Amino acid sequence: MSNSVSIYEKPKMVFLDTVDVKNYVNIDRASTLYQSLKESVQKPLKMILLFGKPGTGKSMLLLKLHSDLSDKQKIYLYSTPLIDESEFFKSLATDLFHVRYEGALNFTQFVKIAKSCKSQSVPIILLDEAQLYPSELMEKIRLLSDSRIVKFVIVLHKTEKEDLIAKEHFQTRIWESIELENASSNEIKAYIQKKLMKENCFDSANMFTDKAANLIHKITNGNYRDTNKLVHSVFEIYEWYDMNQPYKLNRVMIPHKIIEMAAIATGLINA
Amino acid sequence: MHDIQELERRWIKYKIKSYSLFITLLIFVIVLIPFVVFFSPNPLHVSEKNTTSVIVKNSVLKEQNKTIQIPKVNTTQIKQTDEKLFLQPSLSFIDNMDTPLSINVPKPIPETKIQNTIDTKTKYTPQIKASVQPSKTIVKPNTAIEQKSKKIDIQTHNVDNVDEDMQDVIQRFKKTNNPTLGLFLAKKYYDMKQYDLAYNYALLTNQLDSKVDMSWIIFSKSLVKLGQKDKAISTLKSYINNSHSKQAISLLDEIETGRFK
Ligand SMILES: Nc1ncnc2c1ncn2[C@@H]1O[C@H](COP(=O)(O)OP(=O)(O)OP(=O)(O)O)[C@@H](O)[C@H]1O
Ligand SMILES: [Mg+2]
């Protein structure tokens, strides 16, 4: 590619797959769920469960919650599971009570520390990828919330197997559960357009018609991560034509051909 | 960048493939109809004739649907623009690993801000309706579910399941390139004393997101465990120069004084 930059470079960059709160956009159903999550966190509930299939925006929602509440209350985000029990309780002790503990820290010792450092408000811990925690640790986490030392928001990545845990293990004991579902075709359209408009790529946003959104939805099954991949690739292809064969480009709407080519390039369609 | 011309050829093949099945079946049906009509015991019985063709058509449709599969494979191929400090593989065994080291990293965004080149006030008014219809299918949070059901102990993390769980995470990591998962794997393998794998995943995580402190730590620790103390020290030093990470400084100290072996 030569030195000059195509106008499709910018929309392409919009769809790099990152989980960054700066890029959060409001999508109807997800923001309704976000509101209810935010309200739930303020209720005297002990534990809140957020679950959904891969790429439905759970981590994004958690990040948003964290950034919205962090200047108002004690809230911590654990993105990577701390599967080692002692490591987990040690970092809780540091975050919540500013206690640096030498050596291994077990559950009973942690509860002691917590009781001696009683704070007026219950701190919130957000646990992403919670399906990776060992079940014994999960049990202790549950005990902690029962004793109202910490309030946990637990994010479960739901696969067929884990569906069971979400439904039975958690739902019989909790509290409150919120499910993020795969996006509909309309939501995919809104997602793409809002992301582009946020970066002032209005012309590009208008290229995504209902038909294009339907095809994208069909290919990605409403998974935002796959949608990012696909649309990124669409603009990559646009960029190439723009630089090499500009006469071939449809600048008004995205033809099915390009979407399918992008799906082949990203492996979302087998060809 | 993809080879677009090659991609176009693949697309044409894909199209031909998805239509060819349909067309062959259609031809088959067309050939079959007179045959069925001719040999049918009661050729004037129209309704019977109709049903056969309907059935065949249904199967045609089914076949056609099958061709669009959505496999969850490969990630987008995006070039990495790295001006930042990343880990470099320093051990040769890395080449023999089945996890591809050169995963294509969609992550690093050039730090340079993209300027608004479009004048919003003039003709570029957005024509998109702010479609904020509250959807009817909101999943209501179901509070307070009875506790009476017997204790269901689903042991997802049984010893036998560990491998399966790891495989699951590895698959997801390959698919999503999520540094969180990579770091998880690195830690887990480190705990399991499989330092070569820990090294590998720490490296992969680092290439996805070089700001993850822990990836540098595990990478260096694994190096020490693999008997590459000098490499560990030089890696940590260059990281400390860049980040001033406290954890890295204390690890370096531990390695140099021999407290960490
Ligand atoms: N509301 C949103 N605003 C902007 N981007 C979003 C939003 N929701 C999802 N995304 C995008 O979709 C991608 C996937 O979302 P996310 O990582 O939150 O999914 P997830 O449900 O946590 O998936 P997994 O179960 O695999 O961890 C993110 O990279 C993000 O860019
Ligand atoms: Mg996630």
Side-chain angles (χ1 to χ4, degrees), chain A residues 17-18 23 25 55-60 157 191 224-225 228:
Chain A
D17 194 49
T18 50
N23 305 331
V25 294
T56 45
K58 301 180 295 293
S59 298
M60 196 67 174
H157 156 93
Y191 170 73
Y224 288 117
R225 186 178 294 118
N228 282 347

Side-chain angles (χ1 to χ4, degrees), chain A residues 175-191:
Chain A
W175 327 310
E176 176 135 341
S177 72
I178 296 173
E179 176 169 7
L180 267 177
E181 288 181 346
N182 290 34
S184 67
S185 174
N186 274 337
E187 284 167 335
I188 288 289
K189 186 179 171 198
Y191 170 73

Side-chain angles (χ1 to χ4, degrees), chain B residues 5-241:
Chain B
Q5 266 129 7
E6 167 62 22
L7 196 55
E8 270 189 336
R9 276 191 290 275
R10 281 173 70 193
W11 177 78
I12 290 168
K13 263 197 222 155
Y14 159 77
K15 276 301 186 198
I16 292 172
K17 213 170 89 190
S18 53
Y19 283 127
S20 67
L21 232 126
F22 179 77
I23 290 166
T24 22
L25 281 165
L26 200 74
I27 293 168
F28 185 71
V29 169
I30 291 167
V31 172
L32 205 71
I33 289 172
F35 192 77
V36 168
V37 172
F38 190 78
F39 286 102
S40 157
N42 185 358
L44 291 174
H45 202 289
V46 185
S47 72
E48 197 176 290
K49 183 178 77 185
N50 276 349
T51 41
T52 24
S53 66
V54 166
I55 289 164
V56 180
K57 265 184 199 147
N58 266 340
S59 68
V60 170
L61 285 175
K62 266 188 209 144
E63 285 296 328
Q64 199 201 5
N65 280 342
K66 260 190 217 155
T67 55
I68 303 176
Q69 293 160 344
I70 308 164
K72 297 159 181 175
V73 253
N74 299 339
T75 44
T76 346
Q77 319 238 326
I78 302 155
K79 275 194 205 126
Q80 198 177 320
T81 43
D82 46 348
E83 294 133 29
K84 287 181 260 160
L85 181 65
F86 283 96
L87 283 173
Q88 290 301 320
S90 46
L91 297 180
S92 51
F93 67 76
I94 265 325
D95 303 334
N96 309 327
M97 302 232 156
D98 61 338
T99 321
L101 235 196
S102 56
I103 34 164
N104 301 292
V105 187
K107 189 81 188 265
I109 324 169
E111 298 286 282
T112 39
K113 284 268 163 0
I114 302 155
Q115 267 128 31
N116 302 350
T117 43
I118 302 171
D119 183 0
T120 26
K121 274 184 203 143
T122 51
K123 56 191 170 179
Y124 293 97
T125 35
Q127 296 164 12
I128 297 136
K129 281 161 262 156
S131 52
V132 199
Q133 311 123 319
S135 152
K136 281 154 240 155
T137 46
I138 297 163
V139 185
K140 286 228 188 70
N142 28 353
T143 354
I145 299 154
E146 313 126 286
Q147 301 222 189
K148 63 180 173 193
S149 68
K150 278 176 236 142
K151 228 186 174 183
I152 313 153
D153 263 329
I154 306 152
Q155 296 289 335
T156 35
H157 292 268
N158 277 341
V159 185
D160 341 73
N161 280 345
V162 165
D163 247 11
E164 203 183 307
D165 282 357
M166 292 288 273
Q167 284 314 317
D168 187 44
V169 179
I170 291 169
Q171 286 315 314
R172 284 183 56 216
F173 178 59
K174 280 188 187 160
K175 212 171 67 196
T176 62
N177 283 349
N178 181 347
T180 304
L181 297 177
L183 189 58
F184 172 80
L185 288 168
K187 280 182 161 179
K188 188 99 187 182
Y189 278 121
Y190 186 85
D191 288 344
M192 289 158 64
K193 302 200 166 40
Q194 303 201 22
Y195 302 117
D196 47 351
L197 286 170
Y199 169 96
N200 189 28
Y201 281 107
L203 181 61
L204 290 172
T205 307
N206 187 270
Q207 288 176 344
L208 290 163
D209 186 352
S210 64
K211 281 174 299 199
V212 181
D213 225 34
M214 212 46 198
S215 68
W216 293 86
I217 303 290
I218 293 181
F219 182 82
S220 314
K221 280 183 165 179
S222 310
L223 271 176
V224 175
K225 295 285 187 197
L226 291 164
Q228 305 272 343
K229 192 171 157 182
D230 295 342
K231 282 200 181 107
I233 290 175
S234 63
T235 307
L236 275 175
K237 279 187 177 153
S238 67
Y239 179 54
I240 290 166
N241 275 340

